[in-house]
Amino acid sequence: MKQLKRNAAVFFAGLMLSAAPIAVSHAADKPTLAFVVNGASDFWKAAEAGVKKAQSEMPDYQMELKYPEQASVAVQQRLMEDLVSAGVKGVMVSAVDPKTQTDGLNKIGSQTALFTTDSDAPQTNRVAYIGSSNIDAGMQAAEIAKKAMPDGGKCIGFVGLLGADNAKERIQGMKDGLKGTKIELTDVRGDDIDQTRAKKNVEDALVASPDVTCMVGFYSYNTPRIYEALRDAGKLGQITVVGFDDDPITLGGVKEGTIAATVVQQPFEWAYQGMKLMAAYLKGDKSGVPSNGLIIIPTVIIGKDDVDKYAASLKAMAGK
């Protein structure tokens, strides 16, 4: 519990910072660092705040957070190439589909310092990954399901990018964590970070699989769309919901008991620590890069009894 409080405090410290848009103009006398996300989602607002805090501490750099126009490999690659052409010295990216982006990412890594976050691309020339252990996060999701469903059941998962490593690893972690139980993750449906499609996936699953007893939202917006679809179908509270991240709808559902619990990541820390790591690396200080190239920021489970602690921490920090 002490670890939970510590990690929760760190996470909320990030969320308390303003998530104002990051300036995109390149100052000629300042090296520019860019944090490139995989698609439009409120999940990345905390990362914006992390970039802003790092910028305030390192005024000699220009720092940007960039959203691709859509969650596609081609669009994200073009964005990164444009950044490199504009003289960006370091790029930290949540790759849309690392398995098919190897050549493109290596091209970026040959021209600038390349780091990954959220969804790793370990087969590329990236310097390091900073983010969650998605396997561990998936296993935490399994722990939530096992506690909520002691008699077993059938789960269907929902995720943005089925090809992304973060999705694959969370799914695998959950399956590993469910081994030996009567709970089975039978299907996972992708939506390409289209929230309208995300909700429709849930609605379709309710029709196609009337025997489903559990739904898992593997991306930050999936759990709210599950919540809304179940509410509209009059099945909220009848199907176990396992969440990821801390969307207000998700936390509200956890508080009221309609969502069993949620696995919370710390994108603020990814961005804040990541930008500082890139800046140090560019100055020749490689001491912050571990030999295995992995910097893991822990995930935590937030259950019904923890939501008020989160709220209290947020209120206390706001008063400082």
Side-chain angles (χ1 to χ4, degrees), residues 137-138 140-142 144-145 149 154-160 170-171 174-175 178 183-189 191 198 202 205 212-227 230 239-244 259 261-263:
Q140 287 176 312
I144 295 171
M149 305 166 63
K154 174 182 176 181
C155 294
I156 296 178
F158 303 90
V159 73
R170 290 174 200 176
I171 293 165
M174 185 169 191
K175 287 182 176 179
L178 292 176
I183 305 171
E184 184 180 6
L185 181 62
T186 60
D187 186 25
V188 181
R189 304 185 178 197
D191 54 60
V202 181
V212 65
T213 56
C214 163
M215 291 186 166
V216 186
F218 284 105
Y219 274 14
S220 62
Y221 62 85
N222 287 120
T223 307
R225 302 297 83 80
I226 292 170
Y227 181 96
L230 292 179
I239 293 176
T240 297
V241 179
V242 178
F244 270 77
I259 296 174
T262 187
V263 180

Side-chain angles (χ1 to χ4, degrees), residues 27-307:
D29 59 338
K30 296 181 180 182
T32 301
L33 308 178
F35 190 106
V36 178
V37 307
N38 56 8
S41 171
D42 286 345
F43 172 76
W44 294 113
K45 293 298 183 182
E48 288 185 14
V51 172
K52 184 176 181 180
K53 183 180 179 185
Q55 176 74 86
S56 71
E57 295 179 4
M58 294 181 287
D60 293 340
Y61 286 85
Q62 178 72 22
M63 299 181 182
E64 307 174 355
L65 186 143
K66 304 291 284 184
Y67 290 87
E69 295 174 2
Q70 65 185 73
S72 80
V73 170
V75 172
Q76 188 182 61
Q77 182 67 25
R78 185 169 65 247
L79 171 58
M80 289 190 291
E81 290 179 359
D82 289 345
L83 289 168
V84 171
S85 295
V88 166
K89 301 301 182 184
V91 172
M92 177 164 286
V93 61
S94 172
V96 171
D97 187 356
K99 294 295 187 295
T100 63
Q101 282 180 270
T102 300
D103 290 344
L105 290 170
N106 282 338
K107 179 180 178 181
I108 299 301
S110 69
Q111 298 171 309
T112 191
L114 177 67
F115 292 73
T116 54
T117 187
D118 183 40
S119 184
D120 195 12
Q123 303 307 314
T124 68
N125 58 7
R126 61 99 167 112
V127 176
Y129 165 81
I130 181 168
S132 303
S133 166
N134 289 295
I135 290 288
D136 289 350
M139 294 189 76
Q140 287 176 312
E143 289 303 312
I144 295 171
K146 287 189 288 187
K147 183 176 179 180
M149 305 166 63
D151 296 326
K154 174 182 176 181
C155 294
I156 296 178
F158 303 90
V159 73
L161 301 168
L162 281 167
D165 276 11
N166 61 357
K168 290 180 178 180
E169 291 174 1
R170 290 174 200 176
I171 293 165
Q172 189 59 53
M174 185 169 191
K175 287 182 176 179
D176 289 346
L178 292 176
K179 287 179 180 177
T181 74
K182 295 180 180 180
I183 305 171
E184 184 180 6
L185 181 62
T186 60
D187 186 25
V188 181
R189 304 185 178 197
D191 54 60
D192 294 325
I193 312 186
D194 180 334
Q195 298 202 34
T196 299
R197 183 177 163 194
K199 184 179 178 183
K200 188 173 188 308
N201 279 349
V202 181
E203 294 168 343
D204 291 347
L206 287 171
V207 174
S209 303
D211 58 339
V212 65
T213 56
C214 163
M215 291 186 166
V216 186
F218 284 105
Y219 274 14
S220 62
Y221 62 85
N222 287 120
T223 307
R225 302 297 83 80
I226 292 170
Y227 181 96
E228 292 166 351
L230 292 179
R231 178 197 62 199
D232 295 349
K235 295 188 176 182
L236 196 61
Q238 298 176 25
I239 293 176
T240 297
V241 179
V242 178
F244 270 77
D245 301 310
D246 73 333
D247 184 277
I249 293 175
T250 300
L251 289 182
V254 174
K255 179 71 181 293
E256 70 185 16
T258 53
I259 296 174
T262 187
V263 180
V264 176
Q265 302 182 91
Q266 301 191 57
F268 170 85
E269 289 296 325
W270 304 348
Y272 173 62
Q273 294 187 32
M275 300 308 269
K276 294 181 73 173
L277 178 67
M278 279 200 292
Y281 183 85
L282 289 171
K283 290 179 179 178
D285 180 4
K286 301 180 181 181
S287 62
V289 178
S291 59
N292 66 358
L294 299 175
I295 301 170
I296 301 302
I297 308 298
T299 52
V300 294
I301 295 174
I302 300 299
K304 184 174 184 178
D305 293 339
D306 304 310
V307 175

